Amino acid sequence: MARKIAVGMAEYRVSNDPEDVLCVLGLGSCVGVCLYDPVRRIGGMVHVLLPEHLPGQSNPFKFADTAVPALLAEVEKAGASRRNVFAKISGGARMFSGADTLFDIGKRNAEAVREALKALGIPLKGEDIGGNRGRSIFFYLEDGRLEIKILGRDAMVI
Amino acid sequence: MVLFEDLNEMQLDALKEIGNIGAGNAATALSKMVGKRVNMEVPLVRILPLKDVPEWLGGPEKEVLGVYLGVFGALTGHILFVMTIDDALKIMRILLGDMAPSRDQILSMDELASSAMGEIGNILSSSYLSALADFTGLHLNHSVPAIAVDMAGAIVDVVLIEISQHSDYALLIETVFVEEEDRITGYFMLIPDTGSLEIILQALGVV
């Protein structure tokens, strides 16, 4: 039986059970970052809120620049091999129309995630970023596919 | 610095009173708009972590209307007003009758739906804000309302990001508007920036 594991805000989950599905329900400007080793079928997901680490904050999983290396360390700890690992990312929407740049944080989050992946040399195999709609995302550890659902639209897979 | 989570009973009561007056203002505003009596109940006023709000609304994937207003002037903060799409539809039907947008129009945020919802959100949110201004004697302004129709989780996460440098808590005022058989629940949330809660409490004389 596939097990759905929800990843809360500023949290991460890692699993080596290919039956598991890591998910975020109702993702807005946050970004869900998925790392996957297709050979060992081990994966992890982190749900980041902000682009850069703020001084005095202890949780590395809240910020893109610290969350991506921290998640990589966790999937490696679970048995993934770094040279196999690829990434898929989704989220970073701009939810409110009529607002000024106040809500442009989604775009900055996505940029910070891409930069962190690049710095670690992890290939980005798929992304669905931006727009003005919220998403629910489901990361299947059997094959590393990422399913994305938006209200009133058909689900898509990257 | 005073935080929501540290408030005492007396301070909470003062904030609840503002919530009740605000809800009353909102019901009066709705009555004027529809030309019929709209009653209200305030079943709940409480302080809760914003991340728990989607559960309160029926889960992170619940379809909701969200209206965001930035507050500035004597204090700064944020207002988020949320209701489920089903309840937003009921309000539209009461206000606009046959002219009301359909559920699909609301979900796709077409022009009629978004302007009607923006207007409703604006009127209701500013009702609560004026209660706060009247009670505290503080001069308060708000930004043009920004609206979104989407999953509760996605709407709340954006506001959580905005406030994450200040506080993770909100003052939630649940209000039920009653018009004949219709019961419509609105969730009004006030999130003051760092230091602003103190300004409110000082103005209320309950520091």
Side-chain angles (χ1 to χ4, degrees):
Chain A
M1 250 292 273
R3 188 164 58 126
K4 277 193 178 152
I5 303 170
V7 184
M9 224 173 253
E11 289 177 1
Y12 77 98
R13 292 286 182 273
V14 168
S15 170
N16 57 9
D17 182 345
E19 298 242 312
D20 283 348
V21 183
L22 308 181
C23 59
V24 177
L25 306 179
L27 187 65
S29 300
C30 292
V31 174
V33 183
C34 309
L35 297 182
Y36 189 64
D37 176 342
V39 180
R40 304 205 172 132
R41 299 213 286 178
I42 292 168
M45 186 194 273
V46 63
H47 180 170
V48 303
L49 264 79
L50 290 163
E52 282 128 34
H53 187 262
L54 297 170
Q57 294 261 358
S58 57
N59 178 5
F61 297 99
K62 195 167 175 179
F63 310 96
D65 58 348
T66 48
V68 176
L71 180 65
L72 179 65
E74 292 298 330
V75 292
E76 284 187 289
K77 216 190 281 175
S81 170
R82 186 172 174 154
R83 63 170 189 279
N84 300 333
V85 169
F86 64 72
K88 290 183 181 178
I89 64 175
S90 186
R94 184 180 169 149
M95 298 299 303
F96 282 88
S97 59
D100 46 21
T101 52
L102 184 73
F103 288 111
D104 243 3
I105 196 83
K107 201 170 143 193
R108 287 173 48 214
N109 277 337
E111 277 162 12
V113 166
R114 285 193 202 103
E115 257 170 51
L117 289 169
K118 208 170 149 191
L120 293 165
I122 300 172
L124 182 56
K125 272 194 81 172
E127 63 167 64
D128 178 45
I129 290 286
N132 58 3
R133 304 308 308 266
R135 300 167 168 90
S136 284
I137 62 173
F138 303 88
F139 183 39
Y140 289 82
L141 298 189
E142 58 181 1
D143 57 2
R145 72 184 190 278
L146 184 64
E147 185 184 49
I148 297 150
K149 288 179 180 164
I150 288 179
L151 281 185
R153 294 191 200 161
D154 293 333
M156 61 178 267
V157 173
I158 59 171
Chain B
M1 189 176 65
V2 183
L3 298 172
F4 262 152
E5 51 270 44
D6 302 330
L7 294 183
N8 63 34
E9 224 25 66
M10 188 178 68
Q11 291 167 328
L12 277 175
D13 281 346
L15 292 176
K16 285 178 183 173
E17 194 49 32
I18 294 176
N20 280 316
I21 305 277
N25 287 353
T28 306
L30 270 182
S31 301
K32 278 189 190 146
M33 279 168 88
V34 299
K36 284 187 235 169
R37 189 178 171 81
V38 177
N39 291 311
M40 63 96 193
E41 297 158 15
V42 181
L44 183 97
V45 180
R46 62 171 292 190
I47 309 286
L48 86 168
L50 249 181
K51 69 176 174 54
D52 294 349
V53 169
E55 282 309 323
W56 212 265
L57 297 169
E61 292 192 290
K62 186 84 184 173
E63 297 165 349
V64 300
L65 160 70
V67 182
Y68 168 86
L69 301 163
V71 181
F72 51 96
L75 58 91
T76 58
H78 313 265
I79 283 173
L80 180 64
F81 183 81
V82 180
M83 59 171 55
T84 65
I85 291 301
D86 297 321
D87 279 4
L89 258 173
K90 284 187 205 161
I91 283 210
M92 299 283 168
R93 290 201 186 111
I94 293 170
L95 285 177
L96 300 169
D98 294 342
M99 296 281 288
S102 66
R103 191 185 170 82
D104 284 347
Q105 281 177 303
I106 288 182
L107 285 179
S108 64
M109 286 276 272
D110 79 353
E111 213 172 310
L112 168 69
S114 44
S115 71
M117 286 187 302
E119 195 50 33
I120 289 169
N122 194 10
I123 287 164
L124 294 180
S125 307
S126 50
S127 301
Y128 292 94
L129 195 60
S130 67
L132 181 62
D134 292 348
F135 244 64
T136 55
L138 297 169
H139 188 68
L140 301 177
N141 290 312
H142 65 79
S143 63
V144 175
I147 62 168
V149 169
D150 217 299
M151 293 182 265
I155 283 175
V156 170
D157 103 2
V158 179
V159 177
L160 254 175
I161 289 174
E162 281 306 320
I163 65 156
S164 58
Q165 292 167 50
H166 298 290
S167 165
D168 293 331
Y169 287 79
L171 170 72
L172 173 80
I173 302 161
E174 185 180 333
T175 307
V176 181
F177 301 103
V178 185
E179 196 266 341
E180 291 173 9
E181 288 99 76
D182 280 319
R183 292 176 67 82
I184 294 147
T185 307
Y187 300 85
F188 173 87
M189 281 158 268
L190 172 71
I191 308 124
D193 285 345
T194 311
S196 286
L197 184 56
E198 221 154 335
I199 297 171
I200 296 173
L201 297 174
Q202 260 163 14
L204 294 171
V206 289
V207 170

